[in-house]
Amino acid sequence: MPRHLDGNALAGVLSEVFTADVTAARARCGNCGNTAPVAEAMVYPDAPGLVARCVRCNHVLAVVVEAGDRLVLSLAGLDTLELRAPRA
Amino acid sequence: MSFTTRGFSGRRRQPETRLPPGQTLVEKWPVLSAGPTPVVDTADWELTIQDETGTDHRWNWDELIALGVEDITVDIHCVTHWSKLGMAWRGVSLDKLFEHVGSRHQYVMAHSHGGYTTNLPLEDLLGGKAWIAIEAEGRPLHPEHGGPARLLVPHLYFWKSAKWIRGLTMMPGNDPGFWERYGYHIHGDPWQEQRYR
């Protein structure tokens, strides 16, 4: 089977986008409604981008592509993403 | 500017000149996958081409094979910078399938088991340039490589050669598929290094 990692694999690339730690955020799957920390998602790294899938239903939650000089981030598979505000 | 052409010279390219820009030669065949591997039995397998009237043209496994399986030797080029040269494949030409489909639409969305999609102009699928591949390197196509059947469009980056192919839908415009929505090039010609849009 193709290998997958946990959602912590997103930490490095998403730190370029978010000031908060996204892997600690709670994500609600747009397909099945499962709500879990991003760190618990299944991330498939052996692909042209990082693909994060719901641990319960396999739905694509997020896609991150480093496309040359651009970073393309899709969170279309998420219903909500709940982040803690960074401490001042 | 390039001073060479990719035209039919009648002469086989030497390996170094068969590598598109930015590519590295590999011997093993890497497995790339954006999700779990679907398990599809040939007994249940079906390919559908849907035209603009909503009509589904369908082939089961035996009907696909009956169209005629060809031997194909081609180089493949992955957008993640590896190329594998001289791969032996077997498959059914898309020309054979499209003989049975009348459509005015010039674009196609390929759909795979597992939800993957990729878009292609129809002209890139016809004229002996694309196949439904069922064997690679002398063996039935392994599920990790898209078996039992995948699209094989070797003149474009390999993300266009959709694994676990289940259907093609005719489209009036060139709508983006999965990777094309996320920054990858709408066409994906490796010789033009069309990686990103």
Side-chain angles (χ1 to χ4, degrees):
Chain A
M1 292 294 286
R3 72 179 181 127
H4 64 81
L5 309 174
D6 69 28
N8 290 302
L10 298 171
V13 70
L14 290 187
S15 69
E16 298 174 28
V17 182
F18 295 95
T19 53
D21 176 9
V22 175
T23 60
R26 292 181 67 77
R28 186 174 194 275
C29 173
N31 184 52
C32 76
N34 186 56
T35 302
V38 170
E40 293 180 11
M42 297 181 294
V43 176
Y44 289 80
D46 299 323
L50 291 173
V51 177
R53 291 178 177 269
C54 174
V55 71
R56 190 164 86 180
C57 76
N58 261 328
H59 183 63
V60 175
L61 299 175
V63 180
V64 187
V65 171
E66 294 184 85
D69 60 354
R70 291 168 301 136
L71 183 78
V72 180
L73 169 64
S74 169
L75 300 175
L78 287 173
D79 186 33
T80 55
L81 184 66
E82 184 181 316
L83 296 128
R84 294 266 177 205
R87 293 184 181 185
Chain B
M1 177 179 285
S2 171
F3 293 95
T4 58
T5 74
R6 293 176 52 207
F8 294 103
S9 65
R11 194 178 294 173
R12 193 78 179 153
R13 288 173 193 266
Q14 294 304 303
E16 63 274 18
T17 60
R18 285 163 61 185
L19 275 183
Q23 296 295 106
T24 301
L25 192 61
V26 296
E27 295 299 325
K28 290 188 175 179
W29 187 7
V31 174
L32 270 70
S33 206
T37 301
V39 177
V40 183
D41 195 310
T42 54
D44 306 321
W45 187 88
E46 185 177 71
L47 182 78
T48 303
I49 300 180
Q50 186 177 73
D51 66 24
E52 59 266 43
T53 70
T55 302
D56 286 335
H57 305 265
R58 296 173 185 273
W59 295 264
N60 64 27
W61 189 260
D62 291 340
E63 289 166 342
L64 176 82
I65 304 302
L67 292 175
V69 179
E70 301 175 9
D71 292 315
I72 309 143
T73 302
V74 289
D75 304 337
I76 61 172
H77 309 293
C78 180
V79 74
T80 62
H81 296 276
W82 58 262
S83 291
K84 189 165 166 54
L85 304 184
M87 281 193 78
W89 297 77
R90 300 192 80 224
V92 176
S93 170
L94 267 290
D95 294 306
K96 296 275 181 65
L97 293 156
F98 275 96
E99 282 176 10
H100 303 273
V101 180
S103 174
R104 292 184 177 181
H105 288 175
Q106 294 302 306
Y107 298 95
V108 176
M109 187 69 82
H111 298 269
S112 298
H113 292 279
Y116 180 74
T117 57
T118 190
N119 59 290
L120 298 125
L122 180 59
E123 65 178 13
D124 281 300
L125 296 180
L126 301 180
K129 296 198 291 276
W131 296 266
I132 301 295
I134 59 168
E135 292 182 22
E137 300 184 315
R139 296 180 178 181
L141 201 52
H142 192 280
E144 285 193 339
H145 287 299
R150 75 181 296 162
L151 201 56
L152 176 62
V153 193
H155 69 285
L156 299 178
Y157 280 124
F158 210 45
W159 90 76
K160 296 287 187 178
S161 294
K163 295 178 177 184
W164 314 297
I165 189 76
R166 66 174 179 81
L168 305 171
T169 303
M170 306 307 299
M171 303 189 291
N174 201 10
D175 296 340
F178 183 83
W179 290 118
E180 295 85 359
R181 283 203 304 277
Y182 303 134
Y184 282 94
H185 199 277
I186 198 75
H187 188 225
D189 181 342
W191 295 95
Q192 302 294 321
E193 210 168 1
Q194 293 173 338
R195 296 181 198 276
Y196 311 115
R197 64 171 179 249

